[in-house]
Amino acid sequence: MMLSSHLASPPPPLSLRSPDAHPLLCTETPSRLLQRRRRRRDLERTGLALTVRARAGGAAPGEVETAMVERPRPSSFQVSRVRPTPLGATACVGGVNFSVYSSSAASATLCLISLADLNESRVTEEISLDPMINRTGDVWHVFLKGDFTDVLYGYKFDGKYSPEEGHRYDASHILLDPYAKAVISRGEYGVLGPDGDCWPQMACMVPSDGDEFDWEGDLPLKYHPKDLIIYEMHVRGFTRHDSSKTDFPGTYRGVVEKLDHLKELGINCIELMPCHEFNELEYFSYNTVLGDYKMNFWGYSTINYFSPMVRYSSAGLSSCGQDAINEFKTLIKEAHKRGIEVLLDVVFNHTAEGNENGPVLSFRGIDNSVYYMLAPKGEFYNYSGCGNTLNCNHPAVRQFIVDCLRYWATEMHVDGFRFDLASILTRSSSLWDAANVFGKPIEGDLLTTGTPLSSPPLIDMISNDPILRGVKLIAEAWDTGGLYQVGTFPHWGIWSEWNGKYRDVVRQFIKGTDGFSGAFAESLCGSPNLYQEGGRRPWNSVNFVCAHDGFTLADLVSYNDKHNLVNGEDNNDGESHNNSWNCGQEGEFAGISVKRLRKRQMRNFFVCLMVSQGIPMLYMGDEYGHTKGGNNNSYCHDNYINYFRWDKKEESSSDFYRFCSLMTKFRHECESLGLSDFPTAERLQWHGHLPGKPDWSENSRFVAYTMVDSVRGEIYIAFNASHLPVTVVLPERPGYRWEPLVDTSKPAPFDFLSSDLPERDVAVKQYAQFLDSNLYPMLSYSSIILSLSPDTSG
């Protein structure tokens, strides 16, 4: 990052003692003086004037003489002032406008860098910005005309270096524009930079007014949230394994090649794990356990929020990043063609710059005290657990976040966002005061840095933005500073939440823990205990059993304890309380009876997810039973641990994958499983072993209910989480008969009796003696779904 050694040597100091030292200092007549002043004015207008201050030969210490020195005009670019907005680099008629916010810098320099010079960590051309000419308010700006082919840019900022005051200016760093639309450094994922550098110099793409993309009339799908089934996906992990047999494995194009898999699975919404530019080599170190290298695989360490991850693109550095942008757009367009929305997992809680020992890449060198939440002596608050905390509710930062979200929604056509550690977005900013936010002081306003706000300005801005109100907004409603807001996140009626309480309750009940039958019933109804009082709806709850952090579904039923030794941290990382159950034996290798029970439990979890009110979300690979070997924190593995195994999916195509596909189809078909409001007694009736008599006692492990459905008439759903079998009495429906549809205790394909199953009639007859008596036998740890049909028997 330190480029000073590569720059040309500075010119010799200019002597101001002799009038011959510079033409502008010669003895002048009045007419010559007027001419010089006009020249100075012209230079200032074009940004080509430089004020030089030095001690005069006979001046006393502290006294200076001032001279105007004409800079050499850049060989390739014409410089003018133009305008301070919009922020970032903007292609205009005849050139490019560069604009960047920095409130406390004393000087700013635009650095132009060719691709060849970037590889050598050299600056091709520097253009100093005159604060009198190229600064409006806190925005530095300049307009350039010229040929920008294969030219990148960055900035240098100088000013006070005083960490205790929050300032960390250092003009030796080339900094990324926070508004850059693509970031260029290494072109290939996982490949080190020159001389083995994990952090080679980065630079920003200069846009062109010819950068047009053919969207082919693409428009937002605008599904109602209640109709979504979300699939959490990692772009690289989805197709990187050889078994994907894609032409472009591990890339946006690779995902496009496999979108039909998601369509077949019944997915209509993808939630992409971080696709903003990050450095996968951030944790690069040799892993002695696996004999490979640790990577920042998940990507929760953003370098730039406007740029897509360039090394997820098959195009690499082609067109200085524009081809990577277009490849991402192609993914969105092709997903929409298949009826699939795309959400982005965004990390506006911290950046890759870490704590005071981290790299200086962008925000820290541009305006550290604005972009980061700082303590009174300049220390970094760490509500993210990653070294720093983005100062989200500062006016400049929240405007930056809104601008970024708008860009991804309008220019990139994404359908919404999931906000990582979103509770940080509700904390008060450093340098907080009421006037800072509301424009006037409030009596008794004693808020300190990081205080949770009931009406956070950033959430207010997003929620009431005319563009962002129309996209999906999902909060991970907690942070690592102890703030937990599931059910209480400020929502303005439109925010949904990752429902961590749903996950915990469902895991406890399904594995047979006493005392959770009532809470489990609430979860099935969309968690009205969390959301109804606040005026929200079931779709404000994103229900999940597994996600990227934590056990996979297969590991949830195979391991009691985490097994993270391969992470190289002596198994000290990752959550220790997983509410998992290995079904009798620890690990992947187990007896036949244990494996059968595990498959049954996996089906139980999936049934629960698909019949619960709210938005179901499943994690990539769970549809075939992907295992990470008990690793519940696989953030650092660019290998088989995190890769989707397409060969395993094919093996599972007639087993668990088939079951999952049929369950998602069933959910889409049933009007009653995606309600716009919480179910009432007119639609839902609770049952126990006997109809109409639910058991909510502490030791109850049985929950059953019927739902009136406009498509299927009525459905009966029951969960037996006991280690004992039970025969249930079904509710009487004169003139109708209950028919079996799902029974997780049955082996595939009889776990789901689809209409196209050849042996379906034979299988149904096996239930006849029970159903004729309005009974149904349930094995231990099983769930069932029955459908009401007209009785034609007699």
Side-chain angles (χ1 to χ4, degrees):
M1 299 301 296
M2 305 289 286
L3 300 186
S4 56
S5 62
H6 299 283
L7 301 180
S9 300
L14 182 66
S15 171
L16 300 184
R17 301 186 64 175
S18 168
D20 298 326
H22 194 277
L24 293 181
L25 298 179
C26 295
T27 304
E28 297 169 314
T29 63
S31 61
R32 179 69 181 271
L33 179 61
L34 178 60
Q35 183 181 15
R36 184 172 67 83
R37 286 176 176 172
R38 287 174 177 171
R39 174 63 176 156
R40 173 173 177 164
R41 180 192 62 195
D42 293 337
L43 290 171
E44 288 176 340
R45 285 176 177 172
T46 59
L48 294 175
L50 172 66
T51 301
V52 177
R53 297 178 182 272
R55 280 188 57 192
E63 295 182 3
V64 300
E65 290 187 0
T66 302
M68 288 300 301
V69 178
E70 181 180 350
R71 293 194 190 95
R73 180 178 295 275
S75 59
S76 304
F77 300 95
Q78 294 180 355
V79 183
S80 56
R81 184 173 182 270
V82 191
R83 60 181 185 269
T85 58
L87 293 174
T90 306
C92 307
V93 176
V96 177
N97 193 67
F98 296 87
S99 180
V100 61
Y101 170 93
S102 180
S103 64
S104 301
S107 69
T109 302
L110 176 65
C111 301
L112 301 177
I113 309 169
S114 69
L115 278 175
D117 282 342
L118 179 68
N119 294 330
E120 299 296 329
S121 297
R122 286 195 301 259
V123 175
T124 308
E125 204 162 299
E126 293 189 2
I127 299 173
S128 296
L129 307 187
D130 188 327
M132 299 299 293
I133 299 171
N134 301 109
R135 181 172 182 173
T136 303
D138 292 333
V139 177
W140 301 76
H141 53 96
V142 66
F143 182 82
L144 299 186
K145 292 183 178 180
D147 182 5
F148 288 96
T149 303
D150 289 338
V151 173
L152 308 169
Y153 78 100
Y155 289 99
K156 289 182 180 181
F157 285 93
D158 206 355
K160 184 182 292 187
Y161 186 84
S162 178
E164 64 277 7
E165 296 180 81
H167 302 304
R168 293 175 176 268
Y169 290 106
D170 183 346
S172 67
H173 294 289
I174 308 290
L175 304 171
L176 298 173
D177 180 357
Y179 280 77
K181 304 308 185 292
V183 172
I184 301 301
S185 61
R186 298 172 295 104
E188 187 175 349
Y189 187 98
V191 177
L192 298 174
D195 300 321
D197 190 357
C198 292
W199 290 94
Q201 179 61 52
M202 293 175 279
C204 311
M205 177 192 78
V206 178
S208 165
D209 57 5
D211 296 337
E212 294 293 333
F213 178 78
D214 183 7
W215 281 103
E216 301 180 39
D218 177 70
L219 292 172
L221 297 174
K222 294 186 177 181
Y223 292 139
H224 193 285
K226 70 181 179 64
D227 298 322
L228 296 180
I229 297 180
I230 298 177
Y231 186 91
E232 190 187 24
M233 174 197 291
H234 188 281
V235 167
R236 180 170 171 84
F238 192 53
T239 63
R240 185 62 188 87
H241 195 267
D242 290 343
S243 62
S244 74
K245 298 179 181 178
T246 56
D247 293 329
F248 304 96
T251 67
Y252 302 124
R253 293 181 70 176
V255 174
V256 170
E257 294 182 64
K258 291 294 188 178
L259 284 174
D260 289 338
H261 161 74
L262 301 180
K263 185 75 173 177
E264 180 184 51
L265 183 58
I267 300 301
N268 61 7
C269 183
I270 304 169
E271 182 179 297
L272 294 177
M273 290 174 65
C275 289
H276 291 154
E277 184 68 24
F278 68 92
N279 184 2
E280 75 278 10
L281 299 179
E282 182 175 357
Y283 312 138
F284 190 77
S285 60
Y286 185 70
N287 188 333
T288 58
V289 181
L290 292 180
D292 62 1
Y293 289 87
K294 294 176 67 172
M295 297 279 190
N296 175 10
F297 186 75
W298 285 350
Y300 289 91
S301 192
T302 307
I303 290 173
N304 182 276
Y305 293 94
F306 280 81
S307 170
M309 176 61 169
V310 170
R311 288 173 302 286
Y312 280 172
S313 163
S314 64
L317 303 183
S318 175
S319 299
C320 292
Q322 185 60 52
D323 287 350
I325 294 173
N326 291 343
E327 191 169 315
F328 181 90
K329 289 179 176 179
T330 299
L331 166 57
I332 305 300
K333 180 175 67 175
E334 293 301 319
H336 287 175
K337 285 181 181 179
R338 292 163 175 80
I340 300 173
E341 292 189 336
V342 181
L343 312 181
L344 287 191
D345 193 339
V346 292
V347 191
F348 287 111
N349 57 76
H350 75 283
T351 76
E353 292 183 307
N355 60 19
E356 62 277 5
N357 298 316
V360 180
L361 307 171
S362 179
F363 306 95
R364 176 172 295 156
I366 293 175
D367 214 331
N368 184 69
S369 64
V370 166
Y371 282 109
Y372 292 115
M373 197 179 289
L374 303 178
K377 293 185 178 181
E379 305 96 332
F380 291 91
Y381 279 97
N382 190 21
Y383 292 115
S384 67
C386 297
N388 65 56
T389 306
L390 209 60
N391 205 21
C392 297
N393 281 299
H394 184 284
V397 181
R398 64 177 185 258
Q399 185 63 58
F400 162 75
I401 293 173
V402 169
D403 289 345
C404 181
L405 297 175
R406 278 186 161 198
Y407 172 79
W408 285 95
T410 57
E411 178 65 24
M412 307 295 268
H413 287 208
V414 302
D415 301 282
F417 307 92
R418 179 263 188 188
F419 294 80
D420 183 63
L421 299 183
S423 288
I424 284 176
L425 278 61
T426 72
R427 292 184 180 271
S428 62
S429 61
S430 55
L431 306 179
W432 171 272
D433 57 77
N436 174 284
V437 175
F438 301 108
K440 61 181 179 180
I442 298 176
E443 186 176 352
D445 180 27
L446 298 176
L447 288 173
T448 58
T449 300
T451 300
L453 305 172
S454 58
S455 297
L458 173 59
I459 306 300
D460 188 350
M461 283 183 69
I462 294 172
S463 303
N464 292 291
D465 184 86
I467 293 173
L468 299 178
R469 275 193 67 85
V471 304
K472 275 73 176 180
L473 301 170
I474 301 172
E476 183 184 37
W478 56 83
D479 63 25
T480 64
L483 186 55
Y484 191 81
Q485 297 175 307
V486 172
T488 62
F489 188 85
H491 55 81
W492 274 264
I494 61 175
W495 285 75
S496 299
E497 299 171 6
W498 265 28
N499 191 344
K501 292 183 178 180
Y502 174 96
R503 171 200 60 205
D504 298 341
V505 166
V506 168
R507 287 186 178 191
Q508 290 277 27
F509 179 81
I510 294 294
K511 76 186 184 78
T513 305
D514 285 339
F516 282 90
S517 59
F520 181 72
E522 293 269 18
S523 298
L524 292 170
C525 292
S527 302
N529 55 316
L530 297 177
Y531 301 110
Q532 192 168 33
E533 186 176 342
R536 291 203 269 180
R537 301 289 184 264
W539 52 265
N540 292 119
S541 172
V542 175
N543 304 324
F544 66 103
V545 176
C546 299
H548 67 273
D549 50 349
F551 281 146
T552 66
L553 185 58
D555 289 349
L556 184 67
V557 299
S558 302
Y559 296 90
N560 285 348
D561 303 304
K562 64 182 181 180
H563 294 262
N564 296 356
L565 285 174
V566 294
N567 296 354
E569 301 180 42
D570 296 325
N571 208 39
N572 292 318
D573 62 305
E575 178 60 56
S576 296
H577 306 285
N578 297 284
N579 298 320
S580 59
W581 178 44
N582 63 16
C583 298
Q585 287 180 265
E586 186 77 357
E588 185 176 358
F589 302 101
I592 294 177
S593 61
V594 170
K595 287 187 174 181
R596 286 175 179 168
L597 178 56
R598 288 174 177 175
K599 285 191 174 183
R600 192 186 312 169
Q601 287 289 74
M602 288 171 63
R603 289 191 285 261
N604 290 336
F605 279 119
F606 204 84
V607 167
C608 174
L609 196 59
M610 289 301 124
V611 302
S612 296
Q613 301 298 322
I615 304 174
M617 184 188 80
L618 58 148
Y619 175 56
M620 179 185 86
D622 279 348
E623 68 267 37
Y624 69 82
H626 182 76
T627 178
K628 296 182 181 180
N631 192 328
N632 71 354
N633 190 34
S634 61
Y635 71 97
C636 59
H637 297 289
D638 180 35
N639 55 34
Y640 67 91
I641 294 176
N642 283 314
Y643 292 169
F644 190 103
R645 293 288 302 273
W646 293 92
D647 51 345
K648 298 294 184 182
K649 178 257 176 181
E650 292 303 322
E651 292 174 10
S652 175
S653 60
S654 61
D655 189 355
F656 189 60
Y657 175 74
R658 169 187 176 271
F659 182 82
C660 292
S661 300
L662 291 170
M663 278 302 308
T664 58
K665 181 181 179 182
F666 176 73
R667 179 181 174 88
H668 284 307
E669 289 175 350
C670 291
E671 163 266 344
S672 63
L673 298 182
L675 299 176
S676 58
D677 208 343
F678 297 101
T680 64
E682 294 179 352
R683 181 186 288 272
L684 183 149
Q685 184 179 8
W686 297 105
H687 307 290
H689 294 164
L690 299 175
K693 296 184 178 181
D695 182 1
W696 307 122
S697 65
E698 187 70 15
N699 60 356
S700 172
R701 300 184 185 180
F702 184 87
V703 171
Y705 61 105
T706 49
M707 286 282 286
V708 175
D709 186 83
S710 61
V711 176
R712 290 186 173 264
E714 192 172 7
I715 54 177
Y716 177 92
I717 302 170
F719 295 87
N720 179 27
S722 171
H723 61 286
L724 300 174
V726 62
T727 299
V728 298
V729 180
L730 303 174
E732 295 277 355
R733 298 292 186 262
Y736 292 87
R737 176 185 179 87
W738 292 105
E739 284 197 359
L741 180 66
V742 173
D743 187 337
T744 61
S745 70
K746 305 294 183 183
F750 304 106
D751 48 3
F752 196 114
L753 299 180
S754 58
S755 58
D756 60 350
L757 186 66
E759 305 92 341
R760 183 182 184 280
D761 292 340
V762 176
V764 170
K765 288 181 180 179
Q766 294 177 350
Y767 297 94
Q769 68 274 27
F770 291 100
L771 295 175
D772 288 345
S773 303
N774 231 34
L775 303 173
Y776 194 93
M778 292 186 67
L779 292 186
S780 60
Y781 303 109
S782 69
S783 52
I784 61 171
I785 301 176
L786 309 179
S787 181
L788 199 63
S789 300
D791 187 356
T792 58
S793 60

